[in-house]
Amino acid sequence: MDDTSRTYDVIVIGAGPVGENVADRTKAAGLSTVIVESELLGGECSYWACEPSKALLRPVLARADARRVPGLRKVVAGPLDVPAVLAHRDDIVFHWQDDDQVAWLNSVSVDIVRGHGRLDGPRQVVVTSSDGGTVRLIARHVVAVCTGTRAALPDLPGLDEVRVWTSREATSAAAVPGRLVVVGGGVVAVEMATAWRALGAEVTQLVRGEVLLPGREPFAGELVAEGLREAGVDVRFATSVTSVARQDGPDGEVRVTLADGEQLVADELLFAIGRAPRTDDLGLETIGLSPGDWLKADDTCRVGDVDDGWLYAVGDVNHRALLTHQGKYQARIAGAVIGARVNGEPLDETKWGAHVTTADSEAVPQVVFSDPEVAHVGVTAQEAERAGRRIQVVDNDFLSVAGAVQYAEDFRGKARMVVDLDRGTVVGVTFVGPGVAELLQSATVAVVGEVPVERLWHAVPPFPTISEVWLRLLEAYRG
């Protein structure tokens, strides 16, 4: 790449699903747009997170469901076809090639610059390619940072010398480790423990706290822990790692020392303890911000700590809701906002594609693809109480739901509905059990739409389906 400069209306740094959606919307608004990416177009979700993890988990959960159905249990009693599962994962991620994403961006006339992009003062981005060449990009109007996050790692003795797994290695590994230690109790830790145990690894999961999936209804973590243990995962709570070391070179055993002095030996060690923003080498210091910080953005994804309002932070990097679907939601809104502001149009919150990201604070849906699955949206009972809301908590254990019994002979799970008594609306829903992921959109519509509970009586669930749990929850609410 030769030293040169180019000018666009909008510069987007980061070509994951979020950046691609911002670029698509700004280009559709008539703004010249360029997107900068140092790795694969399509980003973390496409190659090292959502897509490959679900490709690994889908056969695991399908087999688990089949084992609960009379007539199928013996048929699926054997092990998974590991080479076929890994090959399917590789197909899902297009063998880590981004040709399709390049073709799509070309089809919507968004320019692509490959290399590491850094801010270099207001509205300026310098991109350095792998061969050392540079190009200076100048934005007439907006720079949108869509760089996402990376796996956080602890400050532990010996960690720098140990080739540990993060979420990237856990979703892209070419072979099943004989022994895997997973450190963490959140979504990534739970899902990867589920997947690799089912694929044949001996898995030990170390959780610093007392529960899995903190921040959700407590029963969700309890049921998932029970499922992991039944699958053969050694789940340990209140357990901390003090040091790690790899013996006999980069492919040797990993020794993990715990706070009580016990040592565990594994073939691979996965840290899944959280995420950190990819802003440490973004040039934030050139515009008066601190490298490595999250970028605080308002409901239109504009960064408020920068003069003249030219900087936007969209997706995980703004720390509003670290989920691909929420990031794409933000991107659609941010793209519309940028187009409207540049073109001098009023921001209309009532039209299709409203100009504020209200769902980030009111109704964030998420599925944990564990066995059992966890699906939740809105607030938990504890969160509602902390906010001073007057609520009624309604629970159902699925035993009275005919569709659940049809779905699985031993359907163990629980549903919870949190009702705001002053508003008469549902503000939070959690489902735990086989196949409950597909229930979540109905709950999301109820929460986002602020549907009065009395109206939900007239949303009749079909019989016999798992969705009949809504009727049981409403009956319990009425008492």
Side-chain angles (χ1 to χ4, degrees):
M1 188 184 298
D2 297 327
D3 291 344
T4 184
S5 65
R6 307 178 198 170
T7 300
Y8 294 86
D9 292 324
V10 177
I11 302 169
V12 179
I13 306 177
V18 174
E20 288 178 332
N21 273 273
V22 172
D24 183 35
R25 292 304 196 278
T26 56
K27 183 62 183 178
L31 306 179
S32 61
T33 302
V34 62
I35 196 164
V36 179
E37 178 54 59
S38 61
E39 297 185 294
L40 295 173
L41 303 179
E44 197 81 10
C45 175
S46 299
Y47 302 103
W48 300 286
C50 325
E51 296 282 5
S53 66
K54 301 317 166 282
L56 293 173
L57 286 159
R58 175 57 187 154
V60 173
L61 300 181
R63 182 182 66 166
D65 287 346
R67 285 177 168 177
R68 299 183 180 102
V69 179
L72 282 177
R73 190 172 293 113
K74 291 182 179 180
V75 176
V76 294
L80 291 166
D81 183 342
V82 173
V85 173
L86 297 182
H88 172 64
R89 185 270 318 273
D90 293 351
D91 289 342
I92 287 291
V93 300
F94 299 100
H95 298 267
W96 291 276
Q97 300 293 320
D98 62 4
D99 296 352
D100 282 356
Q101 298 302 111
V102 172
W104 178 77
L105 283 168
N106 287 334
S107 76
V108 295
S109 300
V110 171
D111 285 355
I112 303 165
V113 176
R114 299 262 192 183
H116 178 66
R118 295 184 86 256
L119 293 161
D120 189 34
R123 296 184 176 87
Q124 308 236 0
V125 176
V126 174
V127 185
T128 304
S129 67
S130 58
D131 63 8
T134 62
V135 60
R136 179 175 294 273
L137 302 176
I138 302 167
R140 295 187 186 92
H141 302 291
V142 165
V143 175
V145 175
C146 309
T147 51
T149 60
R150 56 176 172 79
L153 289 172
D155 183 14
L156 280 178
L159 189 64
D160 290 342
E161 290 75 40
V162 176
R163 179 183 50 79
V164 299
W165 277 12
T166 66
S167 53
R168 282 198 169 196
E169 290 75 21
T171 57
S172 62
V176 180
R179 298 158 298 178
L180 173 65
V181 171
V182 178
V183 181
V187 177
V188 173
V190 162
E191 291 189 345
M192 290 299 94
T194 300
W196 289 110
R197 174 58 194 143
L199 290 168
E202 294 180 10
V203 178
T204 302
Q205 185 169 359
L206 309 177
V207 185
R208 175 178 291 184
E210 300 289 345
V211 296
L212 293 179
L213 305 176
R216 293 157 185 81
E217 298 289 3
F219 66 82
E222 293 168 4
L223 288 169
V224 170
E226 181 181 316
L228 284 168
R229 283 173 168 151
E230 287 185 358
V233 176
D234 180 5
V235 182
R236 306 186 188 187
F237 293 103
T239 303
S240 297
V241 176
T242 57
S243 67
V244 298
R246 191 178 285 273
Q247 309 295 313
D248 303 322
D251 297 320
E253 295 179 336
V254 181
R255 294 192 177 273
V256 183
T257 303
L258 307 182
D260 62 3
E262 181 183 358
Q263 283 198 338
L264 303 178
V265 179
D267 298 291
E268 300 294 350
L269 169 62
L270 164 62
F271 278 100
I273 59 173
R275 307 291 296 179
R278 293 172 64 108
T279 61
D280 49 315
D281 190 20
L282 188 61
L284 292 182
E285 68 279 2
T286 70
I287 58 170
L289 300 180
S290 300
D293 283 356
W294 301 97
L295 293 176
K296 186 177 180 181
D298 65 16
D299 283 346
T300 67
C301 296
R302 178 186 269 178
V303 177
D305 295 332
V306 175
D307 292 339
D308 298 330
W310 58 270
L311 185 66
Y312 285 70
V314 193
D316 287 6
V317 74
N318 64 31
H319 208 218
R320 292 173 65 91
L322 276 63
L323 295 162
T324 296
H325 47 274
Q326 292 298 123
K328 292 166 69 174
Y329 159 74
Q330 292 176 21
R332 293 189 291 270
I333 290 172
V337 165
I338 292 166
R341 283 176 171 157
V342 172
N343 292 323
E345 301 169 0
L347 300 186
D348 186 353
E349 298 178 14
T350 64
K351 67 185 291 187
W352 172 253
H355 293 103
V356 287
T357 57
T358 55
D360 285 338
S361 57
E362 295 177 4
V364 176
Q366 184 174 15
V367 177
V368 184
F369 292 88
S370 49
D371 182 24
E373 290 178 346
V374 178
H376 69 102
V377 66
V379 297
T380 65
Q382 186 178 41
E383 288 169 339
E385 288 170 347
R386 279 202 304 261
R389 287 176 163 173
R390 194 170 64 91
I391 62 170
Q392 180 175 338
V393 177
V394 185
D395 291 338
N396 182 274
D397 63 7
F398 281 101
L399 292 178
S400 60
V401 178
V405 177
Q406 291 280 4
Y407 191 91
E409 188 176 49
D410 180 21
F411 192 110
R412 284 180 292 171
K414 185 174 180 177
R416 171 167 290 180
M417 179 175 71
V418 180
V419 179
D420 185 316
L421 294 175
D422 294 321
R423 296 166 57 194
T425 60
V426 179
V427 294
V429 182
T430 298
F431 301 113
V432 181
V436 298
E438 300 304 331
L439 293 177
L440 189 54
Q441 184 62 3
S442 61
T444 303
V445 170
V447 174
V448 172
E450 299 180 348
V451 181
V453 177
E454 292 304 319
R455 286 300 304 161
L456 288 177
W457 277 99
H458 303 286
V460 182
F463 178 89
T465 65
I466 303 174
S467 62
E468 195 183 3
V469 70
W470 277 108
L471 176 57
R472 303 302 171 221
L473 290 169
L474 291 167
E475 288 174 337
Y477 170 71
R478 272 195 171 175

